[in-house]
Amino acid sequence: MKAILQEGLTALGLSIEAIPALERYASLLAEKNQVMNLTAITDPAEVARLHFLDSAALLALADFRGKSVADVGTGAGFPGLPLKLLEPSICLTLLDAQRKRVDFLQEVCGALKLEAVACVHGRAEEFAQSHREAFDLTVSRAVAALPVLAELCLPLVKVGGFFLAMKSVDTAGELEAAGRAVDLLGGRLRKPMDYSIPGTEVRHRLIAIEKIRETPKKYPRTFAKIKKNPL
Ligand code: SAH
């Protein structure tokens, strides 16, 4: 894992200082994954590439320095926790609807003595009631299709901020379908940014949505409505 991270982080132009913390995180993840379902990826080299370097790649595509960031549907902490380890000036909120996952994240943050990280058990559409337009950035990976995800994530973003969605490169249909939702929610789609995970052939896409207007108060709706009738 160490050599892969060294090479990958260097290729991304990032410091290798956080490697010991990433290794500790990986071992806590492997240990907990024995007793609960946190990730399907268990090979350490794959964890390094598909979780850590995939998350780290965002730092080369957007400016996270000193930003308040919410990771919506963070699961075992991706991409939020690697971002925080690699860019400690981030003020991070890790949000997930599954209590056990949030408990795990709390343990990791304690073990790594991280500051300015809130691990929150909750649903994004409910969290938005109390944290409307409160974040510079929201990020999300592997949670929902873009029209649904935009309604979960854009209400949390300040005007002038961004929602960054991590997707596969095969998203032309999803992007088209999300146009109306993004507009209704006060966002504007930027040109998608495709990237390769260093040391792999894997290509992913970062979809940046700029928040240009306040989100109308009627959004987000309840999850039942969002799902049944995406914008
Ligand atoms: N982002 C992580 C986890 C993806 S799995 C990764 O890429 O590895 C999707 C996660 O989203 C699950 O942990 C699930 O509990 C969470 N989730 C789904 N809908 C949500 C919602 N409305 N609010 C908060 N979390 C949600």
Side-chain angles (χ1 to χ4, degrees):
M1 168 166 294
K2 192 172 178 180
I4 293 172
L5 289 175
Q6 249 164 5
E7 211 170 296
L9 293 174
T10 307
L12 290 166
L14 300 170
S15 155
I16 57 167
E17 223 176 296
I19 289 179
L22 288 165
E23 287 180 309
R24 183 82 211 283
Y25 177 19
S27 78
L28 292 167
L29 180 66
E31 194 185 306
K32 198 60 149 196
N33 209 36
Q34 309 272 349
V35 292
M36 63 176 282
N37 177 23
L38 282 170
T39 175
I41 298 168
T42 51
D43 173 44
E46 296 282 280
V47 170
R49 295 187 178 106
L50 301 179
H51 282 328
F52 293 163
L53 294 177
D54 190 28
S55 302
L58 266 57
L59 293 167
L61 299 174
D63 185 3
F64 284 81
R65 283 169 302 173
K67 301 274 166 73
S68 56
V69 180
D71 182 1
V72 174
T74 187
F78 306 111
L81 218 34
L83 291 175
K84 170 73 183 174
L85 292 171
L86 291 159
E87 181 48 70
S89 69
I90 290 174
C91 181
L92 181 65
T93 296
L94 296 168
L95 178 67
D96 202 278
Q98 277 194 42
R99 159 83 63 193
K100 283 187 175 175
R101 294 186 166 175
V102 177
D103 290 345
F104 165 72
L105 295 170
Q106 203 91 56
E107 278 174 40
V108 176
C109 291
L112 297 177
K113 300 194 169 51
L114 293 181
E115 285 172 13
V117 183
C119 303
V120 180
H121 171 230
R123 299 197 58 90
E125 63 278 14
E126 290 163 12
F127 185 70
Q129 307 300 328
S130 53
H131 292 78
R132 212 176 172 80
E133 271 140 21
F135 296 92
D136 298 314
L137 299 169
T138 52
V139 292
S140 193
R141 186 181 80 163
V143 174
L146 207 49
V148 170
L149 203 53
E151 189 166 350
L152 299 178
C153 294
L154 267 177
L156 297 169
V157 182
K158 291 176 192 170
V159 173
F162 284 87
F163 162 40
L164 303 171
M166 295 170 77
K167 290 284 175 183
S168 73
V169 284
D170 180 24
T171 47
E174 214 178 315
L175 266 176
E176 209 176 287
R180 187 179 119 86
V182 167
D183 186 47
L184 285 172
L185 294 160
R188 180 167 60 197
L189 274 164
R190 289 278 191 96
K191 197 168 170 286
M193 294 175 271
D194 290 356
Y195 64 92
S196 301
I197 301 179
T200 76
E201 307 268 287
V202 181
R203 289 195 54 79
H204 281 170
R205 172 170 292 171
L206 189 66
I207 296 173
I209 300 173
E210 187 181 358
K211 179 87 172 248
I212 55 169
R213 277 176 275 111
E214 273 185 27
T215 301
K217 292 283 181 280
K218 61 181 168 186
Y219 305 121
R221 297 163 295 162
T222 63
F223 194 68
K225 286 189 181 147
I226 295 173
K227 215 175 143 203
K228 188 164 168 233
N229 197 7
L231 290 175

